[in-house]
Amino acid sequence: MANEEQKPLSAELKALRAEFAEVADRSKKAVAQLDTAIFKAEMAELAERNGKVVDEFALPGNRASLDGHDITILINKSKDMGAGFDSNIGAAINAAGKMIGAVQGRDTVISAALFDTGSARSLRFDADRLDKAREKTEANNKDLLVAVKDIMVANTPDKVTARHKHYVIITDGSLSANEEATVQMMETTLRHNPKVTFDFINIGEGGNIANLVGMIHTAASATVPAVHQIADKESIWQTLTGVVKGRLQQTQAPAAEAPKVATAAAVDKPAANP
């Protein structure tokens, strides 16, 4: 109307600001809802990817078969194991990391450690530590004695629980100059905790691993240690997943019918490249 007083510019600007503020508030809420939806979608996609990896070492159609199992992957750090990503140690670390990442959120504990002549050193999967783990070394130490002693101490009768514990040792060539002491500690571990298993993945030919395992005597057929001989690093992942799946199968079978992974002195034939 002609007589209507015109609003001051400041009032018009304030009204415009209020309108924009309302739009911004709605946008903020919409963005928050999208962030939540994106997070849920990413978590679902990660779970699906991890599930596919888990399917490679869990029992067929039964991811829960991993529940109650602790798996420790011991990787030798030596000159013979090489250096960098494209090496035996690099492939072993990658395989361990892939398996560890896949079981997040499950009732399964998978860990990795490096050993040479002393206690096994836990391997943490961050970039700096992994680069150092893959660094070149001139030392060619492969003595498992101290690491096995630590395993024995971790499985004394007062520490035995309902959980199954699987130890997978990845190396090449000979292990433990003091075979008798190493064997004695492994036998003691197996007697104290019947839920313990040992598996050796030996890359290449030669060495005393088969002889060392052949010296181990145990009445528990389901816990007989086994040597899995492979031709090269390309077979590490396939062999590692096969070892875990085999041990899971044993825990599902009736005790009287538990199959052997291998005879005490048996050595698997080289696994085919995946």
Side-chain angles (χ1 to χ4, degrees), residues 100-118:
I100 290 169
V103 299
Q104 291 181 5
R106 299 183 181 277
D107 182 28
T108 309
V109 179
I110 302 181
S111 59
L114 302 180
F115 76 93
D116 40 38
T117 58

Side-chain angles (χ1 to χ4, degrees), residues 171-236:
T171 186
D172 64 343
S174 296
L175 278 177
S176 297
N178 193 337
E179 293 183 3
E180 290 186 3
T182 301
V183 167
Q184 182 180 20
M185 291 178 187
M186 291 178 68
E187 287 181 340
T188 300
T189 302
L190 293 170
R191 284 197 303 270
H192 286 171
N193 190 353
K195 289 183 170 60
V196 164
T197 65
F198 288 102
D199 285 276
F200 294 83
I201 297 179
N202 189 28
I203 308 168
E205 299 180 359
N208 69 340
I209 299 177
N211 181 62
L212 185 149
V213 171
M215 295 168 61
I216 298 172
H217 300 283
T218 173
S221 62
T223 61
V224 171
V227 179
H228 308 268
Q229 192 79 36
I230 62 175
D232 52 46
K233 65 181 184 297
E234 303 302 329
S235 298
I236 290 177

Side-chain angles (χ1 to χ4, degrees), residues 4-266:
E4 185 176 348
E5 185 178 351
Q6 186 175 2
K7 291 182 178 180
L9 177 60
S10 61
E12 292 181 359
L13 292 175
K14 287 178 181 178
L16 187 59
R17 182 184 63 183
E19 183 179 341
F20 281 133
E22 182 182 354
V23 172
D25 185 58
R26 291 200 303 267
S27 297
K28 183 178 180 180
K29 290 179 180 177
V31 169
Q33 291 174 343
L34 282 173
D35 285 342
T36 299
I38 290 170
F39 176 77
K40 289 181 178 179
E42 288 177 340
M43 291 299 98
E45 291 163 0
L46 177 61
E48 183 178 1
R49 290 195 301 270
N50 286 343
K52 290 180 179 179
V53 176
V54 167
D55 288 339
E56 296 188 52
F57 54 93
L59 296 183
N62 185 11
R63 293 174 182 174
S65 60
L66 283 163
D67 292 352
H69 291 262
D70 298 337
I71 301 163
T72 302
I73 303 168
L74 299 173
I75 303 169
N76 177 231
K77 172 72 172 174
S78 66
K79 183 177 181 180
D80 285 346
M81 287 290 283
F85 286 96
D86 190 25
S87 65
N88 290 344
I89 194 169
I93 290 173
N94 290 344
K98 184 177 179 181
M99 188 170 281
I100 290 169
V103 299
Q104 291 181 5
R106 299 183 181 277
D107 182 28
T108 309
V109 179
I110 302 181
S111 59
L114 302 180
F115 76 93
D116 40 38
T117 58
S119 296
R121 302 178 301 283
S122 295
L123 185 58
R124 297 186 182 279
F125 285 81
D126 59 71
D128 291 341
R129 291 176 185 269
L130 291 182
D131 285 343
K132 188 171 183 60
R134 289 187 290 253
E135 281 180 355
K136 182 178 180 181
T137 177
E138 293 301 321
N140 218 17
N141 302 320
K142 302 178 183 180
D143 198 343
L144 192 65
L145 181 61
V146 179
V148 170
K149 180 180 179 181
D150 291 341
I151 291 173
M152 180 184 70
V153 171
N155 287 280
T156 52
D158 60 307
K159 298 175 183 176
V160 173
T161 68
R163 299 185 69 82
H164 296 271
K165 293 187 176 183
H166 309 286
Y167 298 92
V168 184
I169 298 94
I170 303 177
T171 186
D172 64 343
S174 296
L175 278 177
S176 297
N178 193 337
E179 293 183 3
E180 290 186 3
T182 301
V183 167
Q184 182 180 20
M185 291 178 187
M186 291 178 68
E187 287 181 340
T188 300
T189 302
L190 293 170
R191 284 197 303 270
H192 286 171
N193 190 353
K195 289 183 170 60
V196 164
T197 65
F198 288 102
D199 285 276
F200 294 83
I201 297 179
N202 189 28
I203 308 168
E205 299 180 359
N208 69 340
I209 299 177
N211 181 62
L212 185 149
V213 171
M215 295 168 61
I216 298 172
H217 300 283
T218 173
S221 62
T223 61
V224 171
V227 179
H228 308 268
Q229 192 79 36
I230 62 175
D232 52 46
K233 65 181 184 297
E234 303 302 329
S235 298
I236 290 177
W237 173 252
Q238 180 187 29
T239 306
L240 178 60
T241 56
V243 165
V244 172
K245 186 175 292 187
R247 293 304 187 181
L248 293 178
Q249 183 62 54
Q250 288 180 350
T251 64
Q252 299 293 313
E257 301 176 8
K260 296 181 180 180
V261 171
T263 58

